Amino acid sequence: MAADSLPDSTPLAMPVPQATIMARKHPPVGNCTALQDAYLAAGWPRGYGIDTIKQIDSRVKQRMVLKNDVGLDVWTPLSAAILSGKRPSGDCDDMSVTTAQFAICAGMPADRLGLLITTSPKGGRGELHMLAFYQDPTDRVWVFGDTFGRPRALSRVGQDLLFFTHMDHVTKWFSLRGRDGAPLTSDIPGATSAIPELPDAPVYGSCAGSWSDASN
């Protein structure tokens, strides 16, 4: 069970430009106020737990087109577009934010849901990856909204865990610590002040991934 819990974090919140810009440009993602009626009308799942998360994950993957950002890394919640019947394009951060917000619409508390940044599953230098996570009532952590895999327990994530936030305070990010107490991100330049910028022209597939084998 310990492997399915997040490591200790640094005590001070760190600025993340992508999250700050998202919060400024889009309605709050930590609630479902503007989406609830459309969510219910569309017959999306309600409830708690991994079964509800699996349903949300599958539906979002069926309704998104996989595409990396070109240029600067931008986080875009796609919840409203999907509920309106559109099929928007996005990458790992867009999917993570969208699935986590839909989990809030399903009835899960925002402070038990969050976003997790890891090293790239493809091992690219300077590339990062994002997943959504849910901490269940037993405090076990599950990941979902992953463009590289299905919803699963945190212990089944193979890459290093670097940063996290909760959906009720999405602009407050924290670095995760290793067993020796040092930040896991200590070897990444500027990790204590901001998430490193992704390359100006991200390598295709570095964040978008592939869910051809991940549908439920």
Side-chain angles (χ1 to χ4, degrees):
M1 185 68 73
D4 288 330
S5 300
L6 288 174
D8 292 337
S9 63
T10 54
L12 298 178
M14 50 186 274
V16 177
Q18 297 95 323
T20 302
I21 293 170
M22 178 181 69
R24 185 170 64 242
K25 288 189 173 182
H26 300 279
V29 295
N31 64 62
C32 190
T33 303
L35 303 171
Q36 196 69 70
D37 289 345
Y39 184 91
L40 296 175
W44 281 64
R46 292 278 293 169
Y48 294 81
I50 188 63
D51 288 340
T52 300
I53 282 172
K54 286 180 178 179
Q55 293 179 58
I56 291 171
D57 184 271
S58 178
R59 286 195 182 201
V60 172
K61 287 175 178 175
Q62 292 169 12
R63 290 160 174 80
M64 268 186 64
V65 176
L66 198 60
K67 185 178 180 181
N68 267 313
D69 291 327
V70 176
L72 295 177
D73 184 36
V74 178
W75 299 359
T76 306
L78 304 174
S79 315
I82 289 174
L83 291 177
S84 69
K86 297 177 182 178
R87 195 162 184 258
S89 61
D91 59 8
C92 62
D93 43 73
D94 306 323
M95 165 163 276
S96 301
V97 170
T98 300
T99 52
Q101 186 173 35
F102 276 151
I104 294 171
C105 294
M108 299 180 203
D111 62 357
R112 307 289 289 187
L113 292 156
L115 305 173
L116 178 64
I117 288 179
T118 73
T119 52
S120 171
K122 292 193 172 183
R125 183 175 178 81
E127 297 171 1
L128 301 176
H129 183 54
M130 186 187 287
L131 317 127
F133 72 85
Y134 169 63
Q135 187 175 14
D136 72 18
T138 69
D139 289 333
R140 189 177 190 184
V141 176
W142 304 85
V143 298
F144 63 107
D146 180 9
T147 55
F148 284 91
R150 299 181 182 184
R152 59 200 185 279
L154 181 66
S155 58
R156 296 182 62 192
V157 174
Q159 57 269 27
D160 293 336
L161 313 180
L162 303 179
F163 311 96
F164 81 99
T165 188
H166 284 100
M167 294 301 288
D168 57 340
H169 295 291
V170 77
T171 59
K172 293 184 178 180
W173 284 78
F174 300 87
S175 297
L176 292 168
R177 292 181 179 272
R179 292 181 179 177
D180 60 357
L184 291 174
T185 53
S186 59
D187 60 340
I188 299 179
T192 57
S193 60
I195 290 179
E197 293 288 339
L198 292 179
D200 288 341
V203 177
Y204 180 77
S206 62
C207 179
S210 172
W211 56 67
S212 59
D213 298 321
S215 299
N216 295 316

